[in-house]
Amino acid sequence: MPPFKPSYGLRQGDPLSPYHFILCMEKVSIAINNAVLHGNWDPIHITNGGPKISHILFADDVLPFTKARNSQFRFITDLFDRFNRASGLKINISKSRAFYSTWLPQEKIINLTSISGIRSTTSLGKYLGFPMLKVRPKRSDFNFIIDKMQTRLASWKNRLLNRIGRLSLATSVLSSIPSYYMQINWLPQNICDSIDQTTRNFIWCGSSNKGIHMVNWKKVTTPKRLGGLGIRTARNANTCLLGKLVWNMVQSTNKLWVNVLSSKYTSGSCILLTNATNNSSPSWESIIRAKEVLKNGYSWRARSGSSSFWFSNWCSHGYLGSLVSIIDIHDIHLTVKDVLTSTGQHTNALYTSLPQPVADTINSFHINFNNTVEDAFIWIHNKNGVYSTKSGYSWLLSLMEPANVITLHFSWSWIWNLQVPEKFKIFIWIACHDAVPTLSLIHHRHITNSETCGRCGEGDETFMH
C-alpha cells in the first residue's frame, strides 16, 4: 500500500482514539524518563533512598512531579509544548491544577504559576470519586456516600418493591456503593453506622421509614447458613477491603505505592511489626488500622529459614526476644535454620535460656527448609495462603462472640434450599427467629396495650396460637 496522509484527525469516540492516545502517552513517558536520565528533570522522592517519582500516567491523566524551581517549570513547559506540536494533543490548562508543598512561599507560587500558566490549588478535591485527603478524615468528607445511597433508594420504583426486592437491592446495589470508597479509606465509625442504618431501615421499612425491625441486626448480618441474611456490616467490609492493601504490603509486591510507603513508614521491617506515627498520611493510617484487626490471621511460613530466630514472629509464642531478659551475644545473629537444623535438642545450640514451655515447642519442630524460597507470612484462613476479601470477612465473623452467632452445629441452609417462592423462605426464616409480628410480639415491644387474640379473646396471640 502506498503511503497516505490523513486529511482529518481522530475525533473523540473513534475506536482508534484510545490506541492513539496510549501511543502518545508512551512517547511522553519516554521523553520524561530521558529528561530524568540526563538531569534535565529533577524528580521528587518522599524519603532519602526512596523511589524517585517523575510522573504517573493513569487513564487520560498525566501527573508530573518535580522540584519547585523556575528552570524545572520552563523545561517542563517546553517539553509539553513540543509534545503538543508533534501529536496534535493539547493540554487543557483551564482544567489543570498545580499542587505545591505547604512550606513554599506565596511569592514563589505566583512566579511559577506565571511560567506554567497552570493555577495553583490547596485542595485536590476528588480523583475518580476518591476524596484526596491531607488530614485525618472526618464525617463531612464521606457524607456524600450516604447521600448517594439515599438517592439510589429514592429512584425508580423503590416504593413498589416488596421485602424480597428490597433485600436483593440492599445486598447487591446498596452494598456496592460504599465498597468503592472503602478500598483505601478507613471510614469514620459514624459513617459506617449510618450505612448500616440506611440498609437496615430500607430492608424492614422500605422508603416510607415506617415498619418494625423484626430481627436483630446482628443476626441479619450473619451468613445464611448460620441463621442470618448474609448482609455485610460496613465496618467489617471496610476492614476486609483494606486488607488487600495490607496483603500487598506484607508480600512487598513490586508496586510503586508499596515501595513509597515502605520506604517512608516501615524502614525495611514487615508491616505487621509497624505502627502509625503522628505524621502518618490518612491512607497509611487506614492501612495500619486494618492491619491491627487482621494481623492475627497471618502466620510465618518457613521456606529458607533465613529469618531471625529472636526477632521474627516465626512460632506460636511470638517474638522470642521478648520472652528473655537478655540475649547472649553468641545467639544474637542466629537464624531459624541455624537452630532448627542443629543436632540433638534444638535448644542445646543456644547460650540463652528459654522458658521451658517455649523450649519444648522449639525442640518439637521438624522443618524441611528450601534455600531457593524466602521465608514469608501467609494468610492462614485460605487454603492457598493468599489473602482475599471473602476469607478475611469469614474470619472476622468467626471472631464474633458465641451469643452473636446462632449456632455452629446447626445449618439454616435448608430454608434457602426449599423449592418455594422467596417470600415463603423469608417468612419461614422470620418464623424460625420467633419474629412474626403477632400481638404478643408487638405487645412485648410496647407498641400495643394488649396481646390478647382478637378472634377468640381468650389466649395471647402468639405464632403457634
Side-chain angles (χ1 to χ4, degrees):
M1 174 182 289
F4 65 94
K5 183 177 181 180
S7 57
Y8 296 97
L10 295 176
R11 298 181 181 274
Q12 186 173 2
D14 192 290
L16 291 178
S17 182
Y19 297 98
H20 177 241
F21 181 81
I22 291 173
L23 291 174
C24 291
M25 289 301 102
E26 184 68 19
K27 182 62 177 177
V28 170
S29 183
I30 294 174
I32 294 176
N33 289 334
N34 288 335
V36 172
L37 185 63
H38 291 90
N40 297 322
W41 187 304
D42 196 0
I44 67 170
H45 49 87
I46 307 301
T47 59
N48 295 329
K52 295 183 178 181
I53 307 174
S54 60
H55 65 289
I56 296 176
L57 303 178
F58 191 83
D60 58 347
D61 295 321
V62 181
L63 284 74
F65 298 87
T66 187
K67 301 293 180 62
R69 298 171 184 160
N70 293 355
S71 59
Q72 288 292 292
F73 272 61
R74 291 192 184 97
F75 177 82
I76 293 174
T77 301
D78 178 66
L79 186 148
F80 281 107
D81 284 342
R82 286 186 277 117
F83 167 73
N84 294 342
R85 292 192 296 269
S87 66
L89 300 176
K90 188 175 181 179
I91 298 175
N92 192 332
I93 299 296
S94 62
K95 290 185 178 180
S96 303
R97 293 292 182 272
F99 186 83
Y100 299 94
S101 299
T102 54
W103 54 265
L104 199 66
Q106 187 63 31
E107 296 78 7
K108 183 70 172 179
I109 294 177
I110 295 175
N111 187 22
L112 295 174
T113 302
S114 64
I115 296 174
S116 64
I118 298 176
R119 290 178 292 173
S120 64
T121 182
T122 57
S123 175
L124 296 176
K126 296 180 182 178
Y127 184 68
L128 299 178
F130 290 105
M132 307 294 286
L133 304 174
K134 296 190 298 180
V135 295
R136 185 185 297 274
K138 305 181 294 294
R139 178 184 175 89
S140 57
D141 297 322
F142 299 98
N143 277 333
F144 69 92
I145 299 178
I146 308 300
D147 295 337
K148 278 192 171 185
M149 295 179 69
Q150 296 290 357
T151 301
R152 180 59 62 89
L153 295 180
S155 64
W156 62 277
K157 298 182 180 179
N158 282 348
R159 298 179 181 275
L160 304 179
L161 292 174
N162 58 16
R163 183 171 291 128
I164 303 301
R166 296 198 299 269
L167 177 61
S168 299
L169 185 61
T171 305
S172 57
V173 180
L174 283 187
S175 61
S176 66
I177 293 175
S179 294
Y180 179 72
Y181 308 100
M182 290 176 175
Q183 298 177 68
I184 62 171
N185 295 299
W186 181 271
L187 300 187
Q189 186 58 48
N190 49 18
I191 288 292
C192 290
D193 293 340
S194 296
I195 292 173
D196 289 340
Q197 182 181 7
T198 301
T199 305
R200 183 168 63 247
N201 290 342
F202 180 67
I203 291 175
W204 296 115
C205 308
S207 302
S208 63
N209 290 326
K210 296 179 180 180
I212 304 174
H213 296 201
M214 291 182 286
V215 180
N216 185 281
W217 179 243
K218 290 182 179 179
K219 295 179 181 179
V220 172
T221 54
T222 55
K224 287 187 174 181
R225 62 183 177 84
L226 299 179
L229 293 178
I231 302 293
R232 291 191 172 189
T233 59
R235 173 52 68 212
N236 284 348
N238 190 191
T239 303
C240 296
L241 288 168
L242 286 171
K244 296 291 289 185
L245 304 185
V246 177
W247 172 254
N248 278 285
M249 294 293 298
V250 169
Q251 298 300 310
S252 299
T253 52
N254 189 24
K255 298 180 180 179
L256 178 60
W257 70 268
V258 173
N259 295 332
V260 170
L261 292 181
S262 296
S263 64
K264 182 173 177 60
Y265 296 114
T266 65
S267 302
S269 62
C270 179
I271 185 179
L272 300 178
L273 313 179
T274 308
N275 297 315
T277 59
N278 293 331
N279 61 345
S280 298
S281 68
S283 296
W284 180 249
E285 284 190 359
S286 298
I287 294 174
I288 290 297
R289 288 194 175 194
K291 181 267 297 184
E292 290 298 324
V293 179
L294 299 171
K295 64 181 180 180
N296 290 334
Y298 285 91
S299 176
W300 183 85
R301 179 61 58 86
R303 298 294 199 279
S304 64
S306 59
S307 300
S308 170
F309 179 80
W310 299 102
F311 306 112
S312 63
N313 188 19
W314 66 273
C315 75
S316 58
H317 293 282
Y319 304 98
L320 300 183
S322 64
L323 302 180
V324 295
S325 57
I326 188 172
I327 302 174
D328 192 280
I329 192 172
H330 298 87
D331 299 337
I332 197 73
H333 296 298
L334 288 176
T335 65
V336 175
K337 185 177 181 180
D338 292 336
V339 178
L340 298 189
T341 55
S342 59
T343 57
Q345 296 288 318
H346 299 319
T347 52
N348 291 340
L350 302 174
Y351 289 89
T352 306
S353 297
L354 288 169
Q356 192 58 44
V358 179
D360 293 340
T361 301
I362 293 174
N363 289 327
S364 66
F365 272 110
H366 299 282
I367 300 177
N368 295 322
F369 295 100
N370 184 351
N371 293 330
T372 62
V373 184
E374 292 295 324
D375 298 339
F377 281 94
I378 62 168
W379 179 253
I380 60 178
H381 303 286
N382 205 356
K383 291 182 179 180
N384 58 9
V386 177
Y387 176 86
S388 65
T389 304
K390 180 180 179 180
S391 64
Y393 193 86
S394 299
W395 180 65
L396 288 180
L397 287 180
S398 69
L399 299 180
M400 297 170 60
E401 296 179 1
N404 294 340
V405 180
I406 309 305
T407 177
L408 295 177
H409 306 288
F410 173 74
S411 176
W412 291 62
S413 300
W414 65 272
I415 296 178
W416 314 109
N417 293 332
L418 294 174
Q419 300 300 316
V420 296
E422 289 295 322
K423 62 179 180 180
F424 294 134
K425 296 180 184 179
I426 290 294
F427 178 77
I428 296 172
W429 176 80
I430 293 174
C432 289
H433 280 287
D434 195 21
V436 177
T438 59
L439 284 179
S440 178
L441 178 66
I442 296 175
H443 175 74
H444 178 72
R445 299 190 180 188
H446 308 288
I447 299 176
T448 62
N449 297 324
S450 174
E451 56 183 333
T452 305
C453 176
R455 285 183 175 270
C456 66
E458 296 180 358
D460 296 339
E461 187 188 80
T462 61
F463 179 71
M464 298 306 295
H465 177 78

